[in-house]
Amino acid sequence: MRFFHSFFLTVLLLSPAASYAVDDPKELLPNPQQEQEAEQIGQQLRCLVCQNESIEESSAPLARDLRKIVRQQLTQGRQKSDILAWMSHRYGNFIQLKPVFNSETALLWLMPFLALGSACALSYRLWFKRPMQARSLQDTALKKD
Amino acid sequence: MTLTRRHILAALPLTGAAALGLGFQHILSSMKTGQFDPRAIRTSGEAVPQFPPLSPLPGLKGTIEGIECTSLTQQNKPILLNFWASWCIPCVTELPLLSALAPSLTLWGIAYKDRPERASAFLTRNGQPFERVGQDKDGTAAIEWGVTGVPESILILPGGHVVWHHRAALTHEVITHDLLPLLRPFL
């Protein structure tokens, strides 16, 4: 029994986490490489009428329409960046699940580096400055003797 | 107790966390009052998008024209473009507000993903405030406009400048606070 439990759990964990809401197999592009690219683009586009789902995961009609457009444009030979720009132009930057880097999002993107930098500076001060201070105090104490 | 450097250092992360909390609180409260909308798209007088011409909705009283890009940009009065559908419940409650606006503002309607006979029956039953009504049967024009659903309203100023995009049903508050101030120079 335990074996079966762990077996199913392993299978569950190993199976790909993302499930796609392609309602109709006709939606898929015949070229598997292009289809994979379309899925990658779709995963970066927010379904605007859902709660934090990508258009690739959602079965909302708008997500289906946008999936269709991504595939249409890919077969027309357009690049990923062109398609993302096309979407942002119409629906705003909010449609991109990964925020673009601009003046509004600079703090968001730079925060990890700022935090890491200030943490390093702080720890440097705490670890290297204090023993020196202590030593100098000791020195003065010795001199007094 | 004297304030030492250690106290200041210990207070730093706390003040940082407090500042972050205040920031989040500010964002959330302004989202509630409608001052900040992360979904808002910049509508600062951009040009009307290129959308496929929309054929007029048949079955309405009088001669109703369809909606094309050129007819929208050639207007010398502001136009409120309203996406609606007969299957949309908020559209039913929005229609009386549109009818009240109609004498002072030109309204053009777009029937979104709707059957023509149902769409025209909807307007005949609930009131017809639109000067023109186009059909967007498959929703491609809606995507060009950045519309996510119905009802949505877009204000276009003379020359084809998009200045306002409201992604919900119109209410009295929205009309008085957001729409009318934009229309003041034209009334």
Side-chain angles (χ1 to χ4, degrees), chain A residues 48-50 61-62 65-66 69 86 90-94 104 122 125-126 130, chain B residues 5-6 9 12 38-39 41-42 112-113 138 142-148 167:
Chain A
L48 293 153
V49 291
C50 324
L62 182 69
D65 291 351
L66 294 179
I69 286 174
W86 192 95
R90 278 152 189 81
Y91 288 100
N93 285 333
F94 186 68
E104 270 182 354
L122 240 157
R125 282 184 74 96
L126 288 174
R130 189 158 312 142
Chain B
R5 187 183 281 170
R6 276 184 98 174
L9 281 178
L12 265 176
R39 292 169 188 239
I41 39 181
R42 267 170 253 302
Y112 174 75
K113 292 193 176 179
D138 56 358
I143 287 173
E144 294 293 339
W145 280 96
V147 163
T148 54
R167 279 196 169 147

Side-chain angles (χ1 to χ4, degrees), chain A residues 100-112:
Chain A
V100 285
F101 185 87
N102 60 25
S103 59
E104 270 182 354
T105 56
L107 200 60
L108 175 78
W109 280 107
L110 297 176
M111 191 49 95

Side-chain angles (χ1 to χ4, degrees), chain B residues 19-57:
Chain B
L20 216 60
L22 281 173
F24 285 138
Q25 212 245 322
H26 175 70
I27 289 174
L28 289 173
S29 63
S30 45
M31 267 169 80
K32 250 185 200 164
T33 55
Q35 285 165 313
F36 171 69
D37 180 11
R39 292 169 188 239
I41 39 181
R42 267 170 253 302
T43 39
S44 46
E46 292 147 30
V48 161
Q50 293 290 321
F51 60 96
L54 306 171
S55 61
L57 180 68

Side-chain angles (χ1 to χ4, degrees), chain A residues 42-140:
Chain A
Q43 280 166 45
Q44 292 188 19
L45 291 169
R46 174 178 274 114
C47 167
L48 293 153
V49 291
C50 324
Q51 293 288 330
N52 252 3
E53 269 184 319
S54 75
I55 60 164
E56 214 55 47
E57 295 157 340
S58 166
S59 54
L62 182 69
R64 194 178 55 220
D65 291 351
L66 294 179
R67 277 203 297 272
K68 211 166 97 187
I69 286 174
V70 168
R71 280 159 179 80
Q72 262 173 10
Q73 297 199 354
L74 264 181
T75 43
Q76 284 163 11
R78 297 191 71 187
Q79 296 300 306
K80 179 181 169 180
S81 55
D82 297 335
I83 298 172
L84 291 180
W86 192 95
M87 291 289 177
S88 305
H89 182 239
R90 278 152 189 81
Y91 288 100
N93 285 333
F94 186 68
I95 198 168
Q96 297 201 33
L97 279 167
K98 186 178 164 188
V100 285
F101 185 87
N102 60 25
S103 59
E104 270 182 354
T105 56
L107 200 60
L108 175 78
W109 280 107
L110 297 176
M111 191 49 95
F113 304 105
L114 285 174
L116 195 70
S118 46
C120 284
L122 240 157
S123 42
Y124 175 80
R125 282 184 74 96
L126 288 174
W127 286 99
F128 291 98
K129 293 280 162 79
R130 189 158 312 142
M132 276 167 69
Q133 256 180 353
R135 207 183 300 136
S136 64
L137 278 172
Q138 226 171 19
D139 288 347
T140 45

